[in-house]
Amino acid sequence: MVDLAFGATAMASIFAIVDPLGVVPFFSALTEDMSPSQRQEIVSKACLTATITLGVFAVFGQWIFAGFGFTIPAFKIAGGILLFGVAFEMLHGERSRSRLTPQEREETLDRNEVAIVPLGIPLLAGPGAITTVMIYMTASVADPADKLFIFAGILVSVLSAFALLHNADRIFRKFGRTGTRAIGRIMGLLLAAIAVQFLIDGIVAAAQMTGLLR
C-alpha cells in the first residue's frame, strides 16, 4: 500500500524548504534590467539547474552516505540542526542561503551565470533542500515506490517556482515586500517543526543503534 502520510510529509517538506515564492523578490532584483525574453531564459535555466541538483542528490544520496561513512541518524540530526537554522532565519525575515557579498552579487549579475548562481543554487536548490531530499531517500518505507513522492515533491516545487518566476513582476507588485516576507515566515514556522521532527527521529534512531533505547 502507498504510504500517503509519508508522501504528503515528504512533498510538503521539500516544498517548504525550496520556498518558490520566497525567491520571487530576489529574482526581480537580479533581473530588473533584463528584457522579458531574457528573463524567461533565466527562469528556465534556474529551474533546470535546481531540478538536476536535487535529483542527483536524491538518486546518489545513499552512495554519498557510504562514501563518507555517515550514519542515517547522524545525518538526520545534522540535517535537523541545519534546517532549524534556516527556519529560524526565515522566521526573522532573512534567508542565509541568499546572502551575497557586494562582490559576489556583482559577479552573479552576469546574464550567463545568474540562472545557475544564485537562482538555481542556492536560492532554489540550497543546502536545506539537498539535505531534505537525501534524508527522505534514506527513510525506511514499506514500499520502495513511496520514494517516488520525493521526486514528485521536487517536480511540484520546481514547477511552482517556474510559474511564479514567470509572473514575478505581477506577484511582487500584488504582495509587496511585506506580504512576501509574511509568507516566508509562515513557511519558516512549518520548516522549524519539520526540523525538530528530524532531530527527534535522529536521536531516537541513534539511541536504538547504541542500545540505549529498545
Side-chain angles (χ1 to χ4, degrees):
M1 294 292 292
V2 175
D3 190 344
L4 295 178
F6 171 83
T9 302
M11 293 180 67
S13 301
I14 295 170
F15 188 87
I17 186 60
V18 172
D19 189 14
L21 184 59
V23 181
V24 171
F26 302 105
F27 171 78
S28 296
L30 289 168
T31 61
E32 60 183 353
D33 62 336
M34 297 184 186
S35 67
S37 61
Q38 289 172 332
R39 284 189 167 202
Q40 291 177 4
E41 183 179 359
I42 292 297
V43 171
S44 299
K45 288 182 178 179
C47 291
L48 180 61
T49 298
T51 302
I52 292 174
T53 301
L54 295 178
V56 166
F57 275 96
V59 173
F60 298 105
Q62 295 182 9
W63 285 271
I64 294 175
F65 277 126
F68 287 93
F70 297 148
T71 63
I72 295 175
F75 200 76
K76 283 185 176 180
I77 293 171
I81 294 172
L82 172 62
L83 293 182
F84 191 83
V86 174
F88 183 82
E89 293 182 343
M90 287 173 68
L91 285 167
H92 287 77
E94 300 175 354
R95 290 170 64 89
S96 60
R97 54 188 174 168
S98 66
R99 288 180 183 160
L100 301 173
T101 65
Q103 181 179 358
E104 290 171 332
R105 175 179 168 79
E106 190 67 28
E107 292 174 353
T108 57
L109 286 175
D110 188 294
R111 289 187 177 90
N112 296 322
E113 297 180 1
V114 69
I116 299 175
V117 179
L119 290 177
I121 307 169
L123 285 176
L124 289 172
I130 292 171
T131 300
T132 301
V133 298
M134 290 182 66
I135 287 177
Y136 277 112
M137 284 299 291
T138 58
S140 299
V141 292
D143 188 347
D146 290 337
K147 299 294 180 66
L148 293 177
F149 282 113
I150 298 167
F151 295 99
I154 294 172
L155 186 61
V156 168
S157 300
V158 174
L159 288 177
S160 296
F162 184 84
L164 289 168
L165 294 179
H166 266 291
N167 296 278
D169 288 339
R170 186 184 309 170
I171 294 169
F172 194 59
R173 283 196 301 268
K174 184 174 182 179
F175 287 99
R177 293 184 181 275
T178 301
T180 302
R181 287 173 180 172
I183 293 174
R185 289 178 181 180
I186 293 173
M187 300 298 281
L189 180 61
L190 174 61
L191 189 62
I194 294 169
V196 171
Q197 189 61 56
F198 278 167
L199 282 169
I200 293 172
D201 292 346
I203 292 171
V204 170
Q208 291 175 336
M209 288 180 62
T210 57
L212 295 177
L213 184 65
R214 297 182 182 278

